[in-house]
Each structure stands twice: as C-alpha cells, then as structure tokens.
Amino acid sequence: MIIQSGNDASVALAEHVAGSEEAFANLMNEHARRLGMHHTHFVNATVLPHPEHYTTPRAIARLTA
C-alpha cells in the first residue's frame, strides 16, 4: 500500500479508530480536557490549519509532559 502523505495516514488511522475523522477529533478533544488542556480544540486528525482548530504553547507543554 502506498501512502501519499502523513496526512493521509492520519486520516486513515482516525477512521479506523473512531469511524470518522470528526469522531476522532471529538475523542482528541475529550482527552485534551482530561489532561487539562482547556484552551485547545481539535477539528481534524492531521492538525492542518482550520479556523476552529487552536491550542496554546502551555497546552502543548502539558501534553508533552
């Protein structure tokens, strides 16, 4: 199988795990809240730019810790 990009792989993984990319983004948002990432909102699995997709440096630091 050939994967065109990491974005394609991210979408394929999201669809396998949650059934759709939107459902996967909802799971990501739930997990972010559990981690205390209150200023973070995901809308896609690729983390490509979107007007409703945001986070903060502090939230990323929390995630990586």
Side-chain angles (χ1 to χ4, degrees):
M1 179 164 104
I2 296 175
I3 304 242
Q4 294 297 322
S5 71
N7 295 336
D8 293 342
S10 296
V11 172
L13 179 62
E15 290 174 345
H16 177 74
V17 169
S20 71
E21 188 174 11
E22 180 180 352
F24 187 76
N26 289 334
L27 291 175
M28 290 170 54
N29 287 321
E30 290 173 20
H31 193 70
R33 295 296 169 266
R34 284 195 302 273
L35 293 174
M37 299 168 62
H38 301 293
H39 300 286
T40 297
H41 184 258
F42 299 107
V43 293
N44 58 50
T46 61
V47 196
L48 289 174
H50 186 282
E52 296 176 24
H53 183 101
Y54 55 86
T55 193
T56 64
R58 181 173 293 210
I60 296 301
R62 182 179 291 266
L63 177 64
T64 58

